[in-house]
Structures are given as C-alpha cells and as structure tokens.
Amino acid sequence: QYGNGPYRVARWRLERDGRTVKSTDVLEYRTPLISSPTTGAILGKSFYFIANSGVENYKDGKAVDPAKLESIEIAVIELD
C-alpha cells in the first residue's frame, strides 16, 4: 500500500460473503529495504512482492532519472 503515507504491506481478511472486511493485519512496515512496494504473489504460505519498484522514478513510459535505477529486490513474508 503506497500513496497515502509510509509504505506498508497489509492483509485484509474478508467475511465469508467476500464483501466485508473482518480484520486487517500490517505484515510489513518501514523496513529499510522497502521503498515502493508493488505487485505480489502468494506461493504456499509465503507472500513474495517487489520491495523497491522504483515507481516514483517512472513517468510517461520511461525512467525519469536513469541514474536512480537500482536492482529489484524481492521480499518474502511468511503467512500464518
């Protein structure tokens, strides 16, 4: 979740009807590795996501400042 304050990774558990949020858990918040998290996937009991997408350095289909490009980091959070 980004765009509304410090970056974080959150999980919303839904009621059986899928229309109401039952609970919210913050899984990751303010770890130095996380700079602009995006795009994730669950495999088994782990959530993998791009920790530093660089989305803030992207505009009109290209890098705003190529000097700020960095290797992508994939973070993993174990789910319960």
Side-chain angles (χ1 to χ4, degrees):
Q1 183 178 33
Y2 64 94
N4 62 345
Y7 302 118
R8 68 182 185 168
V9 176
R11 169 177 49 197
W12 289 269
R13 294 179 191 260
L14 301 178
E15 294 289 350
R16 287 187 156 274
D17 65 9
R19 304 172 101 188
T20 307
V21 174
K22 178 170 47 174
S23 65
T24 303
D25 301 304
V26 175
L27 304 174
E28 205 301 319
Y29 181 68
R30 292 191 176 192
T31 299
L33 169 70
I34 308 302
S35 61
S36 47
T38 64
T39 314
I42 296 172
L43 177 63
K45 293 186 177 188
S46 300
F47 177 62
Y48 295 79
F49 65 97
I50 298 172
N52 62 335
S53 68
V55 70
E56 69 282 346
N57 189 34
Y58 183 76
K59 185 175 181 181
D60 298 327
K62 61 184 177 183
V64 175
D65 183 353
K68 291 183 179 179
L69 293 174
E70 58 187 18
S71 297
I72 295 295
E73 300 285 341
I74 303 297
V76 181
I77 297 172
E78 297 303 317
L79 303 171
D80 53 19

